[in-house]
């Protein structure tokens, strides 16, 4: 994996509540690069009541995906900032084949690795309900999982074909998952 001038460019992929956000943040701070969570960017836009926030609020509340074009604008802008020059971790993007195509364009097909954190459906649902956030009502939890399976899961095969995929067992402690990621990426 490259760690040259442009730094490491990583994508974290996985179903909701797989722990990918936690792991992306841990690895990013270890590598000294930004973790870019599109979900967090959108949630903070909603909290701030910005134009973007009002556009995406109801879509997010029902567990659906924000449109690919709007997401492309958000990610294009974020990846144009200086702090990504030394590398970055994308958490929660791409989530559809169209988003993966946009990302290839934005990065000139120069991505180093995709980390997939997997866990069984019952584990994911139990975790979400235990966390009890407002958007974690069982109905929305199940919808988010269904949307992942319908729209995002095909990216696993897409990145596997490119030889970029690192499969990680997510049903372990945070420390164990972290260690497995480090080992898989050769860090
Ligand atoms: P997350 O925290 O990554 O689970 O994202 C929370 C919510 O934000 C998702 O359920 C979507 O409604 C929205 N979202 C985040 N990232 C994306 C994306 N790449 N494409 C579309 N919607 C997104």
């Amino acid at each position: 994996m490259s760690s040259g001038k442009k730094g490491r460019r990583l994508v974290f992929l996985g179903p909701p509540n797989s722990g990918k956000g936690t792991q992306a943040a841990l690895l990013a701070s270890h590598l000294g690069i930004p973790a870019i969570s599109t979900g967090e960017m959108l949630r903070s836009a909603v909290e701030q009541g910005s134009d973007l926030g009002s556009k995406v609020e109801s879509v997010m509340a029902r567990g659906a995906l924000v449109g690919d074009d709007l997401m492309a604008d958000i990610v294009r802008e974020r990846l144009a900032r200086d702090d990504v020059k030394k590398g970055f971790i994308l958490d929660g993007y791409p989530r559809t084949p169209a988003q993966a195509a946009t990302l290839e364009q934005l990065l000139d097909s120069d991505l180093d690795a995709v980390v997939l954190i997997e866990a069984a459906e019952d584990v994911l649902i139990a975790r979400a309900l235990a966390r009890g956030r407002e958007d974690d009502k069982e109905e929305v939890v199940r919808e988010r999982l269904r949307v992942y399976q319908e729209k995002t899961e095909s990216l696993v095969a897409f990145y596997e074909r490119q030889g970029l995929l690192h499969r990680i067992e997510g049903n372990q402690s945070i420390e164990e998952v972290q260690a497995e990621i480090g080992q898989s990426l050769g860090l």
Side-chain angles (χ1 to χ4, degrees):
M1 180 164 64
S2 155
S3 55
K5 229 171 149 197
K6 69 181 169 51
R8 288 199 177 87
R9 299 167 156 195
L10 308 173
V11 163
F12 272 48
L13 194 63
N17 302 295
S18 59
K20 77 181 157 51
T22 303
Q23 295 296 336
L26 284 168
L27 183 60
S29 95
H30 177 71
L31 294 173
I33 57 179
I36 301 174
S37 159
T38 48
E40 255 169 44
M41 290 169 79
L42 295 169
R43 273 189 294 279
S44 91
V46 170
E47 274 160 31
Q48 285 162 17
S50 67
D51 283 354
L52 172 63
S54 58
K55 267 189 214 161
V56 302
E57 186 166 14
S58 69
V59 176
M60 291 176 74
R62 63 171 199 271
L65 292 186
V66 172
D68 290 333
D69 291 346
L70 185 51
M71 291 310 301
D73 290 343
I74 292 169
V75 170
R76 184 182 303 110
E77 209 169 283
R78 183 63 187 85
L79 291 180
R81 275 168 49 182
D82 270 353
D83 65 342
V84 302
K85 293 212 171 97
K86 54 187 193 229
F88 56 84
I89 299 180
L90 273 174
D91 160 26
Y93 189 95
R95 258 176 154 96
T96 66
Q99 292 182 9
T102 297
L103 186 64
E104 289 210 307
Q105 257 182 4
L106 290 173
L107 300 182
D108 224 356
S109 298
D110 196 354
L111 188 64
D112 294 303
V114 175
V115 173
L116 170 68
I117 306 195
E118 302 180 287
E121 191 167 324
D122 55 343
V123 172
L124 298 169
I125 290 172
R127 277 186 186 173
L129 298 179
R131 204 173 56 177
R133 230 172 43 188
E134 206 208 313
D135 63 347
D136 288 344
K137 281 178 280 188
E138 182 156 1
E139 205 181 287
V140 177
V141 166
R142 287 190 184 280
E143 176 61 9
R144 281 159 49 82
L145 201 52
R146 192 193 65 74
V147 167
Y148 174 81
Q149 285 157 353
E150 182 187 300
K151 307 230 156 117
T152 309
E153 212 160 44
S154 69
L155 299 186
V156 172
F158 174 77
Y159 287 123
E160 194 153 47
R161 279 196 300 276
Q162 298 185 21
L164 292 176
L165 197 73
H166 295 254
R167 285 180 189 270
I168 305 295
E169 171 53 56
N171 191 17
Q172 313 181 71
S173 71
I174 289 177
E175 293 74 18
E176 285 165 331
V177 175
Q178 196 180 3
E180 200 180 315
I181 292 170
Q183 223 165 34
S184 186
L185 293 177
L187 300 172

